[in-house]
Amino acid sequence: MGFMASAAEDSLLRHRAFVAFWLARTCSSFGFQMFSVAISWQIYALTNSALALGMIGLMQFLPSVLLALPAGHLADQFDRRRIVLCGQLIEFAALAALVMLTLFHWADKTALWGLVFMISVAKALEWPAMSSMLPALVPPSMLARAMASNAVGGQAAVIVGPTLGGLLYVAGPDVVYGVSGLFYLISLILVSRLRYERPPQVRLPMNMKNLFAGIHFIRERKDVLGVISLDLFAVLLGGATALLPIFAKDILHTGPWGLGMLRGAPSIGALLVGLWLSRNKLEKNVGMIMFGSVAGFGVATLVFALSSQLWLSLIALAALGGFDMVSMVIRGSLVQLDTPDDMRGRVNAVNAIFINTSNQLGEFESGLLAAWLGAAPAAAIGGIGTLIVVALWMKLFPHLRKRQKLENETVL
């Protein structure tokens, strides 16, 4: 492809701080995915209650939204590496508590919910600081490849982590929590040894003006506003994966094994594209490539909605994951590179709120439409809606559409 150039001569492996950061994030992602499987099984085994399972989602959702802005402020004011260390130390302590509660048969749903909440609070505080560290670990020209590499680690954890957690659960949930804790311990050691330097920041009070500074910044920077809002609406409309059990059973007439393949297909597509992006540099036309990939996401959603064959549905979902990976890498890189370092924590916090709420609301929107119209029409409407949003955003954000490079094109 003419718009790409090989970057093999400038390997990410030469940047030791990034390698340590990547290993730490991948280890903590594996630990979290394994923990998520075990806690769901354990709570359901104790309660046989769907509501009890739903409470896990609530315990995770509330801190991610309520603490995002304060966490972003802290990430811009204090040592980001220490914030990440504190967050991961809390998560490690919670996993150790889960091991003890399970071993001594003290676990009940309230204690388990409490520890899920504790881990969720730690992750909410840790996220803006960790995501804001990455631009300081590689040159700006390599940031997109670094973000793709990070995404590959995350996708590998999503694919392998739950399976590994499920296999280990045979030996007991305490074993899963113990292995998850070991992954977090490795991450802690790597982050503690990571070389990350940042000049001392002017201390600002945690008032409403400073807490909402990230939102004000996004409103002023048109390109940043364009990519974040594009992501928000595309995810809101493209929540077809929430309907996979209906498609598997009623449309594709397959069983649990088919559902498992359908669930894994987007991650496989994202992983393969992410591997390619981590080794190749986006050179020009990044705006049009981003819009094209979001449009591709919409088309893949539409093909999935109209498919009645398992093989075609799997290809559509893999393509959906691949297109999403391209747009995610470009969007994430643009936001990071167009944001000054002293604002990255707060801007990443706002971005995290949009991502979390749009994922949850997108699933709700898809479920609501499916209840009214059926699963296939609901998914088709989502795909068509995504294409309409792309067309509108290309008109509303012409500078973003014409943008050539990821770096050095910031405009007010």
Side-chain angles (χ1 to χ4, degrees):
M1 286 184 159
F3 55 80
M4 301 285 187
S6 173
E9 68 278 359
D10 192 6
S11 173
L12 287 167
L13 296 176
R14 294 181 182 177
H15 299 270
R16 295 179 65 181
F18 169 73
V19 173
F21 179 85
W22 183 88
L23 287 170
R25 283 197 68 168
T26 302
C27 283
S28 60
S29 295
F30 266 90
F32 182 75
Q33 291 296 333
M34 293 171 63
F35 149 78
S36 298
V37 168
I39 198 74
S40 297
W41 273 104
Q42 188 177 16
I43 284 183
Y44 193 67
L46 285 170
T47 64
N48 286 315
S49 166
L51 180 61
L53 278 179
M55 284 293 291
I56 298 174
L58 186 64
M59 293 297 103
Q60 292 176 327
F61 178 71
L62 288 176
S64 70
V65 174
L66 297 178
L67 297 178
L69 294 181
H73 180 81
L74 291 174
D76 285 337
Q77 296 295 294
F78 298 98
D79 187 328
R80 289 167 178 165
R81 189 174 66 92
R82 289 187 179 180
I83 293 172
V84 172
L85 281 172
C86 287
Q88 295 200 340
L89 195 58
I90 293 169
E91 290 162 69
F92 175 76
L95 286 164
L98 282 167
V99 172
M100 297 299 292
L101 286 175
T102 306
L103 273 176
F104 292 100
H105 305 289
W106 295 336
D108 60 23
K109 64 180 181 182
T110 306
L112 296 178
W113 285 337
L115 289 168
V116 169
F117 186 77
M118 181 175 163
I119 288 173
S120 303
V121 166
K123 286 187 76 66
L125 293 173
E126 171 195 336
W127 170 251
M130 178 167 267
S131 54
S132 300
M133 287 173 66
L134 182 56
L137 304 179
V138 294
S141 61
M142 298 180 72
L143 182 61
R145 290 171 53 213
M147 294 193 74
S149 297
N150 266 342
V152 165
Q155 290 296 335
V158 168
I159 295 167
V160 180
T163 305
L164 185 57
L167 290 171
L168 288 174
Y169 196 91
V170 175
D174 52 313
V175 175
V176 185
Y177 299 137
V179 175
S180 299
L182 184 60
F183 274 114
Y184 269 99
L185 183 60
I186 294 169
S187 181
L188 270 166
I189 293 167
L190 288 166
V191 173
S192 68
R193 296 171 64 86
L194 177 67
R195 291 193 63 182
Y196 174 77
E197 296 178 3
R198 185 172 175 240
Q201 303 298 302
V202 177
R203 292 286 182 264
L204 298 172
M206 194 181 284
N207 54 30
M208 296 301 286
K209 178 184 176 182
N210 290 322
L211 280 177
F212 285 87
I215 295 174
H216 178 73
F217 177 88
I218 291 166
R219 286 176 57 194
E220 294 295 315
R221 302 293 175 108
K222 299 301 182 187
D223 282 6
V224 178
L225 175 63
V227 293
I228 289 179
S229 57
L230 177 67
D231 182 39
L232 172 67
F233 284 101
V235 173
L236 272 173
L237 292 164
T241 50
L243 307 174
L244 286 180
I246 301 172
F247 276 90
K249 183 174 183 291
D250 299 335
I251 296 171
L252 301 172
H253 306 294
T254 184
W257 66 274
L259 176 59
M261 291 174 69
L262 291 168
R263 284 198 183 281
S267 293
I268 297 292
L271 183 66
L272 293 174
V273 172
L275 283 168
W276 194 87
L277 286 172
S278 69
R279 296 183 59 82
N280 294 273
K281 185 180 177 183
L282 292 155
E283 288 281 48
K284 60 182 181 178
N285 295 325
V286 295
M288 282 305 297
I289 294 170
M290 180 191 69
F291 281 119
S293 61
V294 179
F297 178 91
V299 171
T301 302
L302 195 55
V303 171
F304 173 74
L306 300 175
S307 169
S308 58
Q309 300 293 323
L310 180 60
W311 64 269
L312 181 58
S313 297
L314 290 171
I315 291 172
L317 288 172
L320 181 149
F323 282 123
D324 190 46
M325 174 62 76
V326 176
S327 64
M328 185 194 75
V329 167
I330 295 175
R331 291 192 316 262
S333 301
L334 283 173
V335 170
Q336 295 277 36
L337 291 169
D338 279 10
T339 305
D341 184 65
D342 62 349
M343 284 294 302
R344 280 195 181 116
R346 283 167 286 182
V347 170
N348 282 323
V350 176
N351 200 13
I353 292 174
F354 284 163
I355 290 169
N356 284 324
T357 53
S358 61
N359 279 327
Q360 302 286 339
L361 290 174
E363 291 183 4
F364 175 71
E365 174 267 339
S366 294
L368 198 62
L369 271 181
W372 288 345
L373 306 172
I381 289 169
I384 294 167
T386 301
L387 293 173
I388 293 170
V389 166
V390 169
L392 280 173
W393 259 239
M394 288 176 71
K395 187 172 180 62
L396 290 171
F397 299 93
H399 184 269
L400 187 58
R401 184 184 75 238
K402 296 172 186 174
R403 184 151 175 165
Q404 291 294 306
K405 294 182 177 294
L406 290 169
E407 62 270 5
N408 302 324
E409 291 191 32
T410 305
V411 293
L412 290 173

